[in-house]
Amino acid sequence: FFDWAKQLAADPHQRTLRERDRSWWRQHIADIPDAPPLRFFPNDATRAVHTDRFATMLSAAERGSLEQAARRCSVTTSALLLGIFAVALSQATQAQKFRLSVPAFWRTPLVEGVDGIVGEFSNVLVLGIDIRPDESLEALLQRLFNGMNGRLAHQSYPGVSVMRDLSR
């Protein structure tokens, strides 16, 4: 992994891609909405914080239904779930425009045998969400799918760097 990371930093082609993508992100930074307005509890020492974790396993038929719904909308199952999450978050926060940090896997083949390397190959893609009340879920999913593909094409500039640029 460290050989891969060293090669990533030193490779002239990767540097060119990083600069190209940095320029792309800087051109689009003003279009990225604020984070969703999540409500936080007051800093009250007497109040214990409790969280619930919900998890489920989908049956083969349930997973198949999700995959069929995604295909009908011409998106991936991941894009379908992202869209549903965005709508639920919009309803919970009463916000129509916000940004999400979407985890992505990024392992460019810079060294031989990269597929067998264990390491931190993740990236974060910053995606602006715009929930339009008169728009169908299918149209929203298409926009999210296209938006994610656009960001995947510019992930040589890491999402952490995009977040730093946003904070400036």
Side-chain angles (χ1 to χ4, degrees):
F1 174 76
F2 294 110
D3 292 340
W4 177 88
K6 186 177 173 183
Q7 184 67 23
L8 180 65
D11 186 81
H13 178 66
Q14 290 301 315
R15 268 197 236 127
T16 300
L17 288 176
R18 204 167 25 257
E19 273 308 305
R20 178 204 70 178
D21 291 352
R22 182 172 78 93
S23 176
W24 185 89
W25 278 104
R26 293 228 166 127
Q27 290 173 8
H28 292 86
I29 202 107
D31 300 330
I32 300 172
D34 291 336
L38 300 175
R39 287 179 244 139
F40 293 98
F41 294 110
N43 217 0
D44 184 355
T46 62
R47 183 179 182 162
V49 175
H50 173 79
T51 60
D52 291 315
R53 181 178 217 171
F54 298 101
T56 189
M57 295 289 291
L58 298 179
S59 69
E62 290 168 326
R63 181 182 171 114
S65 292
L66 280 175
E67 290 169 347
Q68 285 178 343
R71 273 194 296 274
R72 280 193 305 273
C73 295
S74 300
V75 299
T76 62
T77 306
S78 296
L80 173 72
L81 294 173
L82 177 63
I84 292 168
F85 176 74
V87 169
L89 186 58
S90 174
Q91 291 172 352
T93 62
Q94 301 301 306
Q96 292 180 324
K97 291 186 178 188
F98 52 90
R99 72 172 174 251
L100 291 177
S101 299
V102 182
F105 186 74
W106 186 65
R107 180 168 51 185
T108 188
L110 295 173
V111 296
E112 190 174 324
V114 72
D115 290 337
I117 297 174
V118 174
E120 180 54 52
F121 293 103
S122 65
N123 193 5
V124 174
L125 301 175
V126 181
L127 180 66
I129 304 295
D130 181 9
I131 304 294
R132 300 172 186 166
D134 297 336
E135 182 178 52
S136 70
L137 179 60
E138 185 173 347
L140 170 66
L141 295 175
Q142 279 296 314
R143 282 192 303 107
L144 291 177
F145 182 73
N146 292 335
M148 282 299 295
N149 282 335
R151 276 130 189 89
L152 285 167
H154 297 283
Q155 68 175 330
S156 291
Y157 188 62
V160 170
S161 297
V162 174
M163 297 300 286
R164 284 187 194 122
D165 293 345
L166 279 167
S167 70
R168 289 189 199 110

